[in-house]
Amino acid sequence: MKHKTKLLVDRLVGTISSWPTIECISLNEAATPDTLDPYFALILDVYYRDKVPDAASRQAAYGQDVLAFETSSHTNKDRFLIGDFPVRIEYKDIKKVDELVTIADSQLEHLWLIKDMGTYGFYRLAHGDILYQNSNWIQDIRSRLKHLSSEFWNQMRDAHQSKMEHFLSDLGAALIQGDNFHYLISSAGFIKNACEVLFCINHRFEPSHRGFYEQVIKLPVLPDEFAGRFESFLANDSEMTAERKYSLAQLIARSIIGL
């Protein structure tokens, strides 16, 4: 982390951690790249008990140099600029976090409540860089996430595999109809869910969409020739026609289902 980034992180963490209901603060990996990287963002996950100060109080506490402040009252997400640094702070009630983790590790009969959410929220819990913690709460959560059962992963795989097959069917229908818009949407849905199936097979939480490409090709369990087919599916060149991409999608799907 660059010096200027660290100074800003320390400043924000010092301010937020002074509030009595804050349990834990973690830094998202989006802050890892160079600040000139277009994907760079300083993202803090703030886990709290009971409540946090209202939006106006939070904005004032962040500092007088805050620009373009906006917030979501429903999800407690603050976005703003400090200098050239894009900052996103997400406040998460640990009661709700505990409920989601409990469903995943001991109440699988309720797993349908979180299947559509995927596992990215768990990824952030498991992999965020801990900057402040008031107790061992985050360590306990990470231990529970580390020991999720095979049944959890099997059910999540089934959910994403069903979506993958659904998008594959849509892809074929869009090809026949010459529906370019639906074809593009179906392509994106297909490859995203194909990757999510592979993360489930490998018992890995899904990263942000930016991390899909980099992480999926490094998974220990992959179908034969997956990396090459994946690259070809993503290619935008004249040789990769819609018909060829659909045939390639069928090969990818069959190879994943066979694992």
Coordinates of all heavy atoms in Angstrom, one line a residue, residues 162-176 182 186 190 246 249-250 253:
S162 N -27.5 -25.0 -12.3 CA -28.8 -24.9 -12.9 C -28.9 -23.5 -13.6 O -29.5 -23.5 -14.7 CB -29.9 -24.9 -11.8 OG -31.2 -24.7 -12.3
K163 N -28.4 -22.5 -13.1 CA -28.4 -21.2 -13.7 C -27.5 -21.2 -15.0 O -27.8 -20.6 -16.0 CB -27.9 -20.1 -12.8 CG -28.8 -19.8 -11.6 CD -28.2 -18.7 -10.8 CE -29.2 -18.4 -9.6 NZ -28.6 -17.3 -8.7
M164 N -26.3 -21.9 -14.9 CA -25.5 -22.0 -16.0 C -26.2 -22.7 -17.2 O -26.1 -22.2 -18.3 CB -24.2 -22.8 -15.6 CG -23.2 -23.1 -16.8 SD -21.9 -24.2 -16.3 CE -22.8 -25.8 -16.3
E165 N -26.9 -23.8 -16.9 CA -27.6 -24.5 -17.9 C -28.8 -23.7 -18.5 O -29.1 -23.7 -19.7 CB -28.2 -25.8 -17.4 CG -27.0 -26.8 -17.0 CD -27.6 -28.0 -16.3 OE1 -28.5 -27.9 -15.4 OE2 -27.1 -29.1 -16.6
H166 N -29.4 -22.9 -17.6 CA -30.5 -22.0 -18.1 C -30.0 -21.0 -19.1 O -30.5 -20.7 -20.1 CB -31.1 -21.3 -16.9 CG -32.2 -20.3 -17.2 ND1 -33.5 -20.6 -17.6 CD2 -32.1 -18.9 -17.3 CE1 -34.2 -19.6 -17.8 NE2 -33.4 -18.5 -17.7
F167 N -28.8 -20.3 -18.7 CA -28.2 -19.3 -19.6 C -27.7 -19.9 -20.9 O -27.8 -19.3 -22.0 CB -27.1 -18.5 -18.9 CG -27.6 -17.5 -18.0 CD1 -27.4 -17.6 -16.6 CD2 -28.2 -16.3 -18.5 CE1 -27.9 -16.5 -15.8 CE2 -28.7 -15.3 -17.7 CZ -28.5 -15.4 -16.3
L168 N -27.2 -21.2 -20.8 CA -26.8 -21.9 -22.0 C -28.0 -22.1 -23.0 O -27.9 -21.9 -24.2 CB -26.2 -23.2 -21.7 CG -25.7 -24.0 -22.9 CD1 -24.6 -23.3 -23.6 CD2 -25.2 -25.4 -22.4
S169 N -29.1 -22.4 -22.4 CA -30.3 -22.6 -23.2 C -30.8 -21.3 -23.9 O -31.1 -21.2 -25.0 CB -31.5 -23.2 -22.4 OG -32.7 -23.3 -23.1
D170 N -30.7 -20.2 -23.1 CA -31.0 -18.9 -23.6 C -30.1 -18.5 -24.7 O -30.4 -17.8 -25.7 CB -31.0 -17.9 -22.5 CG -32.2 -17.9 -21.6 OD1 -33.1 -18.7 -21.9 OD2 -32.2 -17.3 -20.5
L171 N -28.8 -18.9 -24.5 CA -27.8 -18.5 -25.5 C -28.1 -19.2 -26.9 O -28.1 -18.5 -27.9 CB -26.4 -19.0 -25.0 CG -25.2 -18.5 -25.7 CD1 -25.1 -17.0 -25.5 CD2 -23.9 -19.1 -25.1
G172 N -28.5 -20.4 -26.8 CA -28.9 -21.1 -28.1 C -30.2 -20.5 -28.7 O -30.3 -20.3 -29.9
A173 N -31.1 -20.1 -27.8 CA -32.4 -19.5 -28.4 C -32.1 -18.2 -29.0 O -32.6 -17.9 -30.1 CB -33.4 -19.4 -27.2
A174 N -31.2 -17.4 -28.3 CA -30.9 -16.1 -28.9 C -30.2 -16.2 -30.2 O -30.4 -15.4 -31.1 CB -30.1 -15.3 -27.9
L175 N -29.3 -17.2 -30.3 CA -28.6 -17.5 -31.6 C -29.6 -17.8 -32.7 O -29.5 -17.2 -33.8 CB -27.6 -18.6 -31.4 CG -26.9 -19.1 -32.7 CD1 -26.0 -17.9 -33.2 CD2 -26.0 -20.3 -32.3
I176 N -30.6 -18.6 -32.5 CA -31.5 -19.0 -33.5 C -32.4 -17.8 -33.9 O -32.7 -17.6 -35.1 CB -32.4 -20.1 -32.9 CG1 -31.6 -21.4 -32.8 CG2 -33.6 -20.4 -33.9 CD1 -32.4 -22.5 -32.1
H182 N -30.1 -10.3 -26.3 CA -30.3 -11.4 -25.4 C -29.1 -12.3 -25.5 O -28.7 -12.9 -24.5 CB -31.5 -12.2 -25.8 CG -32.0 -13.1 -24.8 ND1 -33.0 -14.0 -25.0 CD2 -31.7 -13.2 -23.4 CE1 -33.3 -14.7 -23.9 NE2 -32.5 -14.2 -22.9
S186 N -27.0 -13.4 -22.2 CA -26.9 -14.8 -21.9 C -25.5 -15.3 -21.8 O -25.1 -16.1 -21.0 CB -27.7 -15.6 -22.9 OG -29.1 -15.3 -22.9
F190 N -24.0 -16.9 -18.6 CA -23.4 -18.3 -18.7 C -22.0 -18.4 -18.1 O -21.8 -19.2 -17.2 CB -23.4 -18.8 -20.1 CG -22.6 -20.0 -20.3 CD1 -23.1 -21.2 -20.0 CD2 -21.3 -19.9 -20.8 CE1 -22.3 -22.4 -20.1 CE2 -20.5 -21.0 -21.0 CZ -21.0 -22.3 -20.6
Y246 N -21.3 -20.4 -29.1 CA -22.3 -21.2 -28.5 C -21.8 -22.7 -28.4 O -22.0 -23.3 -27.4 CB -23.5 -21.2 -29.4 CG -24.6 -22.1 -28.9 CD1 -25.1 -22.1 -27.6 CD2 -25.2 -23.1 -29.8 CE1 -26.1 -22.9 -27.1 CE2 -26.2 -23.9 -29.3 CZ -26.6 -23.9 -28.0 OH -27.6 -24.7 -27.6
A249 N -19.4 -22.8 -25.6 CA -20.2 -22.8 -24.3 C -20.7 -24.2 -24.0 O -20.7 -24.6 -22.8 CB -21.3 -21.8 -24.4
Q250 N -21.2 -24.9 -25.0 CA -21.7 -26.3 -24.8 C -20.6 -27.2 -24.3 O -20.7 -28.0 -23.4 CB -22.3 -26.8 -26.0 CG -23.6 -26.2 -26.5 CD -24.1 -26.7 -27.8 OE1 -23.4 -26.7 -28.8 NE2 -25.3 -27.2 -27.8
A253 N -19.8 -26.2 -20.6 CA -20.8 -26.7 -19.7 C -20.7 -28.2 -19.5 O -20.7 -28.7 -18.3 CB -22.2 -26.3 -20.3

